């Protein structure tokens, strides 16, 4: 009798393994067909990976990392992840809050007494992390050199004499702007007593195992880095489109990280397993503190709000998707996950002329069709 039961269990296990293998094969075929429609080997391309329960389910790289050398994109190619960098700065502030070194209810006036307007006493760290501060992006764009080279400190200099807000802080309005995240650079330094990059390496990158991740700096060689490109219709050719060609590449806290899909997978694991912040901080980061209106200049998707460095999409019938996008120069980035089922989807691209969210939404539809329980409860 025992041998019969064992044989049945073995047969069930074998059938289940075969079914899983077939599902993975079909998933790879359909995702491969989708991404092959957009990215090709003889032009700027992308690195894409789908991870489930810490294991790569699908991974494919397309195109050049460097047009001149024709070096191909690989899973270890470092991309400028642009605004996806914001979550790292947000985690740094959450770490410091855990240690009692700051509070997210602290007003900006506590850290920036040189900002003279009285409303800086009403704007808190919570507001700058959730894009609900009302501070306008009034950076001077008349000086091209400033636009191309301004640091985090220089970029927020206009706030010293700022005398207006676009709305009352925390009144339910959302406006995505980079300068409020650039403030995190100085806050980390003032609170920790360490240079920003040194703090981020010691307490963010190193604990996460991100040994090859770094912030852009024009004075250093960026290891294994891709260039961003854009299509020049006049010459019918791809032109380099990153530092020196596009604005505000020199700022760090809001968008300066260069990393690869392999390194970013380590970051997602560090977030999931409480390596870089505690569960309560993660709950705060993934909470949609404000809903994004359809007329927002950046970030609108249906049923989507903003947390601390993350967008959160809560589509009826699906688990929440926590993600961020990044855009600067030719870099077009998506980093998303479904925490409830430990699924991660990354698409790092070196070209801007793609419909990123259409591609991503089609990807999720394919996954839901083939593996419904990964996206939807009760399926």
């Amino acid at each position: 009798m025992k041998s019969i039961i064992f044989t049945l269990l073995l047969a069930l296990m074998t059938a289940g393994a075969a079914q899983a293998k077939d599902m993975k094969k079909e998933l790879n075929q359909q995702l491969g067909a989708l991404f092959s429609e957009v990215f090709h080997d003889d032009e700027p391309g992308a690195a894409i990976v789908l991870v489930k329960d810490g294991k790569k389910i699908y991974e494919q790289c397309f195109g050049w990392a460097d047009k001149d050398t024709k070096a191909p994109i690989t899973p270890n190619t470092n991309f400028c992840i642009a605004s996806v960098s914001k979550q790292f700065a947000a985690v740094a502030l959450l770490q410091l809050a855990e240690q009692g070194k700051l509070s997210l209810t602290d007003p900006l006036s506590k850290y920036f007494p040189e900002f003279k307007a009285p409303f800086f006493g009403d704007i808190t760290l919570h507001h700058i992390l959730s894009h609900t501060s009302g501070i306008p992006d009034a950076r001077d764009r008349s000086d091209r050199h400033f636009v191309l080279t301004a640091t985090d400190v220089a970029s927020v200099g206009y706030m010293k004499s700022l005398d207006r807000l676009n709305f009352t802080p925390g009144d339910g309005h959302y406006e995505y702007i980079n300068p409020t995240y650039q403030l995190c650079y100085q806050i980390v330094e003032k609170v920790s007593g360490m240079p920003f990059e040194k703090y981020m390496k010691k307490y963010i990158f190193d604990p996460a195992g991100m040994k090859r991740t770094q912030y852009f700096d024009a004075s250093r060689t960026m290891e294994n880095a891709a260039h961003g490109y854009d299509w020049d219709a006049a010459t019918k050719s791809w032109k380099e489109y990153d530092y020196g060609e596009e604005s505000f590449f020199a700022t760090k806290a809001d968008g300066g990280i260069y990393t690869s899909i392999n390194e970013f997978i380590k970051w997602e694991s560090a977030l999931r397993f409480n390596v870089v912040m505690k569960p309560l901080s993660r709950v705060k980061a993934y909470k949609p503190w404000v809903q994004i209106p359809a007329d927002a200049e950046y970030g609108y998707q249906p049923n989507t709000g903003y947390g601390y460095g993350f967008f959160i999409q809560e589509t009826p019938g699906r688990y929440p998707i926590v993600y961020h996008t990044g855009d600067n120069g030719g870099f077009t980035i998506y980093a998303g996950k479904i925490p409830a089922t430990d699924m991660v989807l990354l698409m790092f691209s070196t070209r801007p002329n793609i419909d990123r969210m259409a591609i991503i939404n089609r990807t999720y539809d394919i996954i839901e069709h083939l593996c419904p329980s990964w996206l939807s409860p009760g399926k």
Side-chain angles (χ1 to χ4, degrees):
M1 184 68 175
K2 289 182 179 179
S3 62
I4 295 173
I5 293 173
F6 176 78
T7 302
L8 289 172
L9 288 174
L10 183 62
L12 289 171
M13 291 172 62
T14 303
Q19 186 178 24
K21 185 176 180 180
D22 290 343
M23 177 275 294
K24 183 177 179 180
K25 181 179 179 181
E26 181 64 21
L27 186 60
N28 271 261
Q29 288 177 344
Q30 292 198 26
L31 293 181
L34 167 62
F35 289 111
S36 296
E37 291 177 8
V38 182
F39 302 110
H40 308 99
D41 289 336
D42 58 346
E43 59 188 19
I48 302 119
V49 67
L50 173 66
V51 179
K52 180 73 173 66
D53 298 325
K55 297 179 181 179
K56 291 181 179 179
I57 302 299
Y58 167 84
E59 180 180 62
Q60 196 165 3
C61 297
F62 301 86
W64 314 314
D66 187 309
K67 176 188 173 186
D68 295 333
T69 66
K70 298 299 187 290
I73 290 172
T74 76
N76 292 315
T77 297
N78 286 323
F79 295 72
C80 172
I81 60 171
S83 286
V84 177
S85 304
K86 288 180 171 66
Q87 62 193 256
F88 293 81
V91 170
L93 262 60
L94 287 164
Q95 283 184 345
L96 294 167
E98 289 173 356
Q99 299 164 25
K101 294 181 178 179
L102 59 76
S103 170
L104 298 187
T105 61
D106 286 343
L108 284 185
S109 57
K110 178 177 180 178
Y111 303 101
F112 301 96
E114 67 273 25
F115 294 177
K116 300 304 182 184
F119 52 66
F120 284 107
D122 300 321
I123 299 172
T124 67
L125 303 188
H126 161 79
H127 294 138
I128 68 170
L129 291 177
S130 57
H131 293 300
T132 58
S133 70
I135 296 174
D137 183 352
R139 291 173 292 181
D140 181 12
R141 288 173 168 77
S142 64
D143 181 344
R144 184 65 177 165
H145 178 75
F146 173 82
V147 166
L148 293 177
T149 63
T151 63
D152 295 77
V153 176
S155 290
V156 300
Y158 74 90
M159 295 187 194
K160 294 178 182 178
S161 57
L162 187 68
D163 60 1
R164 64 180 179 85
L165 294 176
N166 285 347
F167 52 83
T168 302
D171 70 353
H173 283 84
Y174 158 93
E175 184 177 17
Y176 185 100
I177 71 165
N178 287 298
T180 53
Y181 264 82
Q182 291 161 4
L183 294 171
C184 295
Y185 180 98
Q186 294 182 71
I187 294 169
V188 168
E189 292 198 334
K190 291 178 180 183
V191 173
S192 71
M194 297 172 63
F196 177 78
E197 284 195 68
K198 185 175 181 179
Y199 179 92
M200 299 301 286
K201 176 174 171 50
K202 184 174 182 179
Y203 294 107
I204 301 288
F205 298 150
D206 283 354
M210 303 174 76
K211 303 300 184 183
R212 295 179 175 84
T213 295
Q214 58 184 333
Y215 281 96
F216 175 80
D217 194 294
S219 67
R220 67 171 63 115
T221 299
M222 303 300 293
E223 178 188 352
N224 202 27
H227 287 288
Y229 295 93
D230 199 9
W231 180 253
D232 186 333
T235 62
K236 297 183 179 180
S237 64
W238 292 99
K239 297 293 185 182
E240 189 172 309
Y241 193 40
D242 46 39
Y243 180 74
E245 295 90 33
E246 181 53 306
S247 61
F248 301 112
F249 255 84
T251 57
K252 293 180 169 64
D254 67 320
I257 291 176
Y258 273 67
T259 194
S260 67
I261 59 171
N262 274 348
E263 290 270 288
F264 206 91
I265 291 170
K266 297 175 182 178
W267 171 244
E268 289 294 354
S269 179
L271 290 171
R272 183 167 183 81
F273 293 106
N274 311 316
V275 174
V276 290
M277 64 177 173
K278 297 176 181 178
L280 181 58
S281 294
R282 188 174 65 243
V283 168
K284 293 177 181 177
Y286 296 175
K287 178 178 178 178
W289 295 100
V290 63
Q291 289 298 302
I292 301 174
D295 61 353
E297 291 188 6
Y298 190 83
Y300 172 72
Q301 286 288 300
N303 309 300
T304 299
Y306 201 86
Y308 294 155
F310 296 93
F311 293 104
I312 302 94
Q313 186 173 39
E314 299 179 303
T315 302
R318 279 186 174 178
Y319 292 114
I321 299 175
V322 179
Y323 71 97
H324 213 287
T325 51
D327 301 86
N328 204 9
F331 294 102
T332 306
I333 309 295
Y334 177 88
K337 59 194 165 193
I338 299 180
T341 60
D342 193 13
M343 191 187 83
V344 175
L345 175 62
L346 308 176
M347 183 179 78
F348 293 2
S349 171
T350 56
R351 49 186 289 184
N353 59 342
I354 60 174
D355 189 339
R356 171 181 47 215
M357 293 313 298
I359 298 167
I360 293 300
N361 289 334
R362 285 178 65 190
T363 302
Y364 283 127
D365 288 343
I366 289 170
I367 296 169
E368 187 171 31
H369 175 68
L370 294 174
C371 315
S373 64
W374 294 8
L375 266 73
S376 303
K379 289 189 177 181

